[in-house]
Amino acid sequence: MKKIFKILIINVVIFILCIFISDLLIYKNFADNFYKTNLKDYQINKFKYQTEPFFAFDIRTFFDGSDNMYMGRKPDGLEFSDKTPVVIFGCSFAHGQHLEANQTLSYKLSQLLKRPVYNRAISGRGLAQMLFQSESDIFYKDVPPSDTVIYLMIEDHYRRMLVSHINMLDYHFNGNYKLKNNKLIFEDYNNPIKNIIRSSYTIKLLNQKFAKYYIANPDNAQKLTDEVLLYFIQTRGNLERHWKRKVNFIVLFYDDVSYKDILIEKLKENGFCAYSINEDIAPDVPLKNLEYKISKQNGHPNERAWETITPLLVEKLRLN
């Protein structure tokens, strides 16, 4: 009986190892292809990129003052440092991926407002990185007190957050948040078993498929929007507590985000400014057209999009 049990255990271990090795090979192939096609100029250790979960990063070195289209942006408009700065959060849209420094939203905004703009958006992320930064002492050493914060939201930000009520693993951030007693609690993955599971390329794909299915179900709209709202409430609270001032927190929806109207209503009820760019800011600008995108294959906003949107944004929000 003991012999059979040992054989069974050995077989189970071999089976798990085979799955894990296969998963790593699939992930390595993905990483190689992604690196070749998307990250030709990305200054990163290739082995580290292949073995860490999707762009694991350290904000101490990410925002190091250098400026390229894949790493953290340096502050814009520092020539106006006698004025109170504006802070931007979001993903690659707000960050200005694929754009030079003077083509981004943050640069255009700084030149129009004659105020410094600290672009703290990070490509491939969203709500979790915003909240994480607002809880980090490093952020407050880098960014002076502000009275205006802008968050640029797109559809992808739903699936990039931890949907606590279904306990879905986040695959875009090294560290996460879980909902406990109506509060988002940071959960770091120090457990090696959790890290192995979380690093699995297969698990990432399954989570992504499940997230899309979950978001598409209108029965989940209230839970999704409630949790998004909580990210904003906690972030604003952290910023106001550290900066000791009221913050005008503006949430902009770049595209047709699911349940946008529900979320906008909840944000306004809680003292946020919330606007749809294609409905409230620039209704006459066809931002879905190719002329406002990087390319046919790449839907990120190009310089023309920000040149068109930013003056309308300043006028609408009266940010001067």
Side-chain angles (χ1 to χ4, degrees), residues 45-62:
N45 181 293
K46 193 176 179 186
F47 177 76
K48 183 178 179 181
Y49 171 70
Q50 290 171 346
T51 54
E52 287 194 0
F54 274 100
F55 303 105
F57 75 101
D58 186 335
I59 61 172
R60 289 173 296 186
T61 56
F62 194 80

Side-chain angles (χ1 to χ4, degrees), residues 242-279:
H242 279 83
W243 287 336
K244 295 180 172 56
R245 63 175 64 185
K246 288 289 183 184
V247 172
N248 178 26
F249 206 120
I250 303 159
V251 183
L252 301 174
F253 294 79
Y254 192 89
D255 53 11
D256 294 324
V257 177
S258 297
Y259 319 120
K260 175 180 62 183
D261 293 340
I262 296 173
L263 185 50
I264 285 177
E265 183 178 348
K266 289 182 179 181
L267 286 163
K268 288 181 176 179
E269 286 174 355
N270 285 272
F272 293 87
C273 296
Y275 299 97
S276 165
I277 288 179
N278 60 3
E279 293 174 11

Side-chain angles (χ1 to χ4, degrees), residues 38-257:
N38 294 280
L39 301 175
K40 293 177 183 177
D41 301 318
Y42 198 11
Q43 301 301 312
I44 191 169
N45 181 293
K46 193 176 179 186
F47 177 76
K48 183 178 179 181
Y49 171 70
Q50 290 171 346
T51 54
E52 287 194 0
F54 274 100
F55 303 105
F57 75 101
D58 186 335
I59 61 172
R60 289 173 296 186
T61 56
F62 194 80
F63 293 99
D64 62 357
S66 60
D67 199 325
N68 70 58
M69 60 186 67
Y70 297 112
M71 296 295 282
R73 294 288 185 184
K74 65 182 181 183
D76 291 295
L78 290 181
E79 63 269 31
F80 312 116
S81 57
D82 58 322
K83 303 287 183 63
T84 305
V86 175
V87 179
I88 295 176
F89 290 113
C91 63
S92 54
F93 277 51
H95 169 272
Q97 192 170 340
H98 310 291
L99 298 177
E100 298 298 333
N102 63 356
Q103 298 177 315
T104 62
L105 165 64
S106 51
Y107 176 81
K108 307 288 184 190
L109 197 58
S110 72
Q111 298 307 299
L112 280 173
L113 295 179
K114 309 298 182 191
R115 293 171 64 178
V117 177
Y118 284 76
N119 189 338
R120 300 293 291 198
I122 302 174
S123 296
R125 291 172 175 81
L127 296 158
Q129 63 84 9
M130 172 186 69
L131 179 53
F132 177 78
Q133 289 192 68
S134 78
E135 294 179 340
S136 168
D137 290 339
I138 299 163
F139 172 81
Y140 297 102
K141 290 177 182 176
D142 292 345
V143 182
S146 171
D147 59 5
T148 305
V149 171
I150 297 173
Y151 183 89
L152 187 69
M153 183 161 182
I154 66 171
E155 174 73 10
D156 281 357
H157 294 186
Y158 277 125
R159 65 179 179 83
R160 289 176 185 168
M161 71 179 186
L162 173 67
V163 186
S164 301
H165 41 271
I166 54 174
N167 197 28
M168 186 176 70
L169 293 175
D170 174 58
Y171 51 93
H172 278 281
F173 193 69
N174 51 329
N176 217 324
Y177 293 86
K178 59 182 178 182
L179 193 60
K180 187 175 182 180
N181 299 325
N182 202 35
K183 184 175 174 60
L184 291 163
I185 307 295
F186 184 74
E187 182 182 31
D188 200 3
Y189 284 84
N190 293 318
N191 187 317
I193 296 175
K194 277 188 177 182
N195 273 327
I196 289 172
I197 294 172
R198 184 168 169 267
S199 301
S200 165
Y201 183 65
T202 305
I203 293 294
K204 290 182 179 76
L205 287 181
L206 290 174
N207 281 330
Q208 185 174 6
K209 297 290 184 184
F210 184 74
K212 288 183 177 180
Y213 167 79
Y214 190 89
I215 294 162
N217 186 344
D219 291 341
N220 301 318
Q222 293 300 328
K223 288 183 178 179
L224 280 168
T225 52
D226 280 346
E227 191 151 348
V228 172
L229 176 64
L230 199 54
Y231 275 97
F232 289 121
I233 289 174
Q234 285 189 208
T235 299
R236 182 179 62 184
N238 291 337
L239 296 174
E240 291 185 344
R241 187 165 54 256
H242 279 83
W243 287 336
K244 295 180 172 56
R245 63 175 64 185
K246 288 289 183 184
V247 172
N248 178 26
F249 206 120
I250 303 159
V251 183
L252 301 174
F253 294 79
Y254 192 89
D255 53 11
D256 294 324
V257 177

